[in-house]
């Protein structure tokens, strides 16, 4: 989408992802990523941790299910998605603002770990390699018949697809 803030965050999951279903039946997974910047201090000749960013994230539909089944607390992940700002009022009448990340893509970081990828076939799709996680304007809105890649473009069907 034009004008939306898309970011990539690398960090560790602070807890196991929580999954639930909306009243319309869409799966949504919530999780928090902790990302701590490190810088090298030349004077002391050692690495120093900066202030940790704790970013609340959500994933929808099949991506939510893959996140809940594939990732756990402490897993180093790479998350790309759209930032959303939300303002609400507490019971005491205080206004609060939170920034959340709607995860469009997520997977384990392979910097310090190995991962095994399993393709999960999708019914009615030739080759069974596409997932119904194409971005749209409404989080949780169904995207029937909308693939997440252009099938008319040349591609390698043997390339790995990460179902998380």
């Amino acid at each position: 989408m034009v004008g939306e803030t898309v970011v990539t965050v690398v960090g560790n999951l602070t807890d196991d992802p929580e999954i639930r279903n909306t009243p319309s039946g869409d799966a949504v997974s919530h999780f928090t990523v902790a990302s701590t910047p490190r810088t090298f201090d030349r004077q002391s000749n050692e690495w120093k941790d900066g202030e940790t960013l704790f970013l609340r994230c959500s994933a929808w539909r099949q991506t939510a299910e893959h996140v809940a089944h594939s990732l756990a607390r402490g897993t180093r992940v790479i998350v790309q998605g759209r930032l959303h700002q939300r303002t609400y009022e507490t019971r005491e009448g205080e206004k609060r603002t939170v920034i959340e990340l709607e995860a469009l893509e997520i997977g384990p970081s392979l910097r310090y770990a190995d991962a095994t990828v399993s393709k999960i076939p999708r019914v009615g799709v030739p080759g069974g390699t596409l997932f119904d996680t194409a971005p749209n304007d409404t989080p949780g809105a169904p995207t029937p018949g909308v693939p997440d890649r252009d099938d008319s473009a040349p591609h390698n069907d043997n390339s790995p697809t990460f179902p998380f």
Side-chain angles (χ1 to χ4, degrees):
M1 291 253 129
V2 176
E4 290 188 331
T5 305
V6 176
V7 298
T8 301
V9 177
V10 178
N12 297 327
L13 294 183
T14 62
D15 210 345
D16 291 339
E18 304 165 8
I19 189 165
R20 65 177 179 80
N21 288 318
T22 64
S24 64
D26 290 328
V28 61
S29 179
H30 294 283
F31 51 96
T32 301
V33 175
S35 180
T36 306
R38 297 193 83 202
T39 56
F40 188 75
D41 184 344
R42 292 180 187 216
Q43 290 179 344
S44 65
N45 204 32
E46 58 186 26
W47 287 95
K48 296 201 175 186
D49 288 341
E51 190 170 334
T52 302
L53 167 70
F54 292 92
L55 189 57
R56 191 74 176 151
C57 304
S58 60
W60 292 89
R61 296 179 299 286
Q62 277 192 310
T63 303
E65 294 172 14
H66 297 310
V67 165
H69 293 105
S70 302
L71 303 174
R73 178 183 182 189
T75 304
R76 185 174 174 88
V77 294
I78 303 169
V79 184
Q80 184 178 52
R82 291 181 233 156
L83 282 179
H84 294 283
Q85 180 174 303
R86 182 170 56 87
T87 303
Y88 66 96
E89 194 170 306
T90 65
R91 292 183 194 141
E92 293 79 28
E94 299 174 354
K95 283 194 175 188
R96 302 250 171 109
T97 300
V98 294
I99 295 177
E100 299 169 320
L101 182 65
E102 178 188 358
L104 303 175
E105 299 286 340
I106 181 168
S109 169
L110 301 181
R111 186 172 186 180
Y112 305 116
D114 291 331
T116 301
V117 178
S118 333
K119 289 185 181 182
I120 300 174
R122 195 171 118 197
V123 177
V125 177
T129 59
L130 299 179
F131 295 91
D132 62 355
T133 57
N136 60 43
D137 292 336
T138 308
T143 53
V146 180
D148 60 358
R149 72 175 184 206
D150 179 5
D151 278 337
S152 64
H155 62 275
N156 179 356
D157 281 332
N158 295 324
S159 61
T161 301
F162 296 91
F164 347 90

